[in-house]
Amino acid sequence: MSRDILKICLNACLVLFFIMSSTIAQTTQEKIEQMRIRRTELEKQVKASEELLTLTDRDISSKVNSLSLISAQLYERRKLLESTKKDIQTLTQDSVKLEKQLIVLQDEYELCKNRYAQACRFFQHQSHSFNSVMFLFAADNFKQLTRRFRYIKEYSGSVENLAEEIVRKQVQITDKQQEIAVLKEEKIALKISQSVIESQLATQEVFQQKIISDLRSKSSSLKNDIAKRQKEMNSLSQEIDRQIAQALKEELEREEAIQKTETHTQTLRRQEKDIKLTGSFENNKGRLPMPITGPYLIVGNFGLHNVAGMKEIKLTNLGIDIQGEKEAKARSVFDGIVTAVFQQGKGLIGVLIRHGEYISVYCNFSRVGVKKGDNIKTKEIIGDIQLDETGRTLLHFELRKETTKLNPSDWLEN
């Protein structure tokens, strides 16, 4: 093997190097793309929520609504900020890891170069006094000839492998350098985004405090308004409990009547169908779609909680309140059967949908397009949500397992 052949081999490897070095590691690209998609979704939610913010100073009730909306919007913006900080931290950790890998690769690259140089020098020195053809024909027998041929081949191959290894290390080093550059660029962009979000948060928090101060100055009126809201919530909760109890009673009576006429096999099949539906619902915990179309904000949380900024004023909510855009519609969170369509007071309509053992509850409709006994699919439209006295499109949503009250936020995709 001559130096010219070695040169050709090395040049071929260098061509491969230039082709391969144009590609950044796929894992880094995918990770950054996933971060961007997640952040884009959060940014869209924040932007959409801004369009829902229609403030009015008409009365105490309007101010409380505005406070709930701003508090919900602050929550979304803080979620975006936390996600951004987490992404920055991840990129920092990845950069440190890549820097360490780069140092190791550069050391290995230098080692390969030195070994290749030594091999070339040895080959050049031997070529003056070594004739491979004569070396082969000087063999005493065929077996020795075979061994000498394999020796020459392995020696030539080892030099080629060293050249290829150098190119591989060059490709890896270039890829790592590109990955680090991309991560640093993304990190700079995220830090700028973080600064903007923090500034927006500070502005909104000041505005929130202004509303809180204004409400505190009208403490008596505020307490009356909260008491009125709590009374309405309690009344609605009692009606929902009554409707669920009635639906469960009717279902029990219907099951008893069916069992008298159907065979044992039919009973088992029906029960298996209910169990399957229940299991499917449970398997989708945390992934159920929001029960409202378009942009939304959760302005009323589940359970006992304080009115934002006022520890002394509390509200109990057995579901969640979701504010949407005007003309937003309510939709089913899962496949099921409509078990009740009822009047909830003030001319509003409520709907119960059964999903095996689980029941989803939708309130504050002006009009519904379903009736008792209808089969309904996931995301199928139930009806139109009524605007309240302050112009809000507010859906009240509850979730039960039979009579046990569940926190819908644990089940919905958010």
Side-chain angles (χ1 to χ4, degrees):
M1 180 179 181
S2 67
R3 280 178 293 174
D4 290 337
I5 296 174
L6 274 175
K7 210 177 276 184
I8 292 169
C9 173
L10 185 56
N11 287 337
C13 291
L14 285 171
V15 170
L16 177 66
F17 158 68
F18 286 118
I19 293 171
M20 293 176 66
S21 63
S22 62
T23 306
I24 302 174
Q26 193 65 25
T27 53
T28 299
Q29 283 184 316
E30 288 173 354
K31 184 179 286 187
I32 289 175
E33 189 59 30
Q34 287 170 359
M35 287 180 179
R36 286 175 178 168
I37 291 170
R38 186 173 64 250
R39 199 162 56 252
T40 299
E41 287 301 313
L42 288 170
E43 286 169 351
K44 278 170 60 180
Q45 177 64 14
V46 170
K47 186 176 179 182
S49 70
E50 288 172 349
E51 297 172 4
L52 302 176
L53 191 59
T54 52
L55 300 175
T56 171
D57 291 336
R58 189 168 70 241
D59 52 33
I60 289 292
S61 185
S62 300
K63 289 181 185 293
V64 173
N65 292 344
S66 297
L67 179 59
S68 298
L69 190 55
I70 290 172
S71 299
Q73 198 178 41
L74 278 169
Y75 171 77
E76 294 293 337
R77 209 177 285 281
R78 288 188 186 112
K79 192 161 68 172
L80 174 59
L81 179 60
E82 285 305 310
S83 176
T84 303
K85 286 180 177 178
K86 185 178 178 182
D87 287 347
I88 290 172
Q89 186 179 17
T90 300
L91 292 179
T92 301
Q93 292 170 347
D94 288 351
S95 293
V96 170
K97 191 186 298 180
L98 288 175
E99 292 280 4
K100 289 178 180 178
Q101 291 174 0
L102 180 60
I103 291 171
V104 172
L105 283 172
Q106 286 171 333
D107 290 342
E108 291 174 352
Y109 174 67
E110 290 300 322
L111 181 63
C112 284
K113 281 205 306 183
N114 291 335
R115 288 170 60 196
Y116 180 74
Q118 289 173 2
C120 286
R121 283 195 295 270
F122 176 77
F123 182 82
Q124 187 177 16
H125 174 71
Q126 291 294 326
S127 64
H128 293 300
S129 58
F130 177 77
N131 187 304
S132 58
V133 176
M134 292 299 295
F135 176 68
L136 287 171
F137 282 106
D140 294 335
N141 51 54
F142 181 76
K143 188 175 182 181
Q144 192 181 65
L145 174 69
T146 305
R147 282 202 306 269
R148 290 188 177 194
F149 180 77
R150 188 168 64 246
Y151 167 77
I152 293 171
K153 187 177 179 181
E154 287 175 357
Y155 177 77
S156 301
S158 66
V159 177
E160 289 180 19
N161 289 339
L162 276 172
E164 291 172 358
E165 184 64 20
I166 289 171
V167 174
R168 278 196 294 271
K169 294 299 178 187
Q170 286 175 321
V171 170
Q172 290 173 341
I173 287 170
T174 302
D175 282 350
K176 292 299 176 191
Q177 289 171 335
Q178 288 182 326
E179 283 187 76
I180 292 168
V182 169
L183 288 177
K184 285 181 177 177
E185 186 179 337
E186 185 71 12
K187 187 176 171 182
I188 290 169
L190 280 177
K191 284 193 171 181
I192 293 170
S193 176
Q194 177 184 342
S195 179
V196 171
I197 297 167
E198 287 174 340
S199 175
Q200 292 169 336
L201 266 174
T203 301
Q204 276 193 308
E205 284 168 349
V206 169
F207 192 41
Q208 182 192 44
Q209 287 304 314
K210 182 179 179 297
I211 296 178
I212 290 171
S213 298
D214 192 20
L215 286 171
R216 283 187 182 282
S217 68
K218 301 169 183 175
S219 177
S220 177
S221 299
L222 173 62
K223 287 179 179 177
N224 289 337
D225 182 80
I226 295 298
K228 179 185 173 186
R229 287 169 185 255
Q230 189 63 71
K231 185 178 179 181
E232 290 174 353
M233 282 185 182
N234 293 341
S235 177
L236 176 58
S237 179
Q238 289 170 6
E239 180 59 24
I240 290 172
D241 287 342
R242 194 181 72 78
Q243 291 292 335
I244 289 176
Q246 180 64 27
L248 292 174
K249 181 184 175 184
E250 290 176 0
E251 189 168 320
L252 181 61
E253 291 172 350
R254 184 168 59 254
E255 187 171 336
E256 288 173 349
I258 291 172
Q259 284 179 348
K260 289 178 182 179
T261 58
E262 69 182 1
T263 65
H264 179 66
T265 302
Q266 289 173 324
T267 301
L268 287 177
R269 284 177 182 170
R270 184 167 47 80
Q271 289 173 345
E272 284 173 4
K273 185 178 178 182
D274 287 342
I275 291 169
K276 187 176 180 180
L277 188 57
T278 297
S280 299
F281 193 92
E282 288 174 344
N283 292 337
N284 280 277
K285 185 175 182 179
R287 297 199 299 267
L288 297 177
M290 291 301 295
I292 194 169
T293 59
Y296 67 89
L297 275 175
I298 297 175
V299 295
N301 293 308
F302 177 83
L304 178 66
H305 57 275
N306 302 102
V307 174
M310 302 181 201
K311 293 182 180 179
E312 70 280 8
I313 300 178
K314 300 179 184 292
L315 271 171
T316 300
N317 194 343
L318 298 180
I320 58 173
D321 297 312
I322 309 167
Q323 183 171 338
E325 61 187 349
K326 287 187 177 179
E327 298 182 2
K329 299 183 185 301
R331 59 187 186 178
S332 176
V333 297
F334 203 74
D335 294 357
I337 300 171
V338 178
T339 55
V341 177
F342 62 94
Q343 293 295 321
Q344 66 176 72
K346 291 187 175 180
L348 299 175
I349 305 167
V351 174
L352 303 183
I353 298 178
R354 190 161 179 80
H355 321 275
E357 293 180 4
Y358 291 87
I359 301 170
S360 55
V361 185
Y362 312 76
C363 298
N364 298 347
F365 289 104
S366 60
R367 185 196 67 81
V368 295
V370 297
K371 63 184 184 300
K372 185 176 179 179
D374 283 352
N375 287 304
I376 195 164
K377 295 293 184 183
T378 304
K379 293 186 178 181
E380 186 176 335
I381 299 300
I382 302 169
D384 301 329
I385 305 166
Q386 175 69 48
L387 295 178
D388 68 7
E389 63 276 7
T390 60
R392 296 186 305 167
T393 304
L394 195 69
L395 174 70
H396 180 75
F397 177 74
E398 295 190 14
L399 195 58
R400 310 284 180 93
K401 185 174 184 181
E402 299 292 359
T403 56
T404 303
K405 300 170 180 66
L406 306 173
N407 184 350
S409 295
D410 294 338
W411 292 77
L412 298 172
E413 186 175 29
N414 193 358

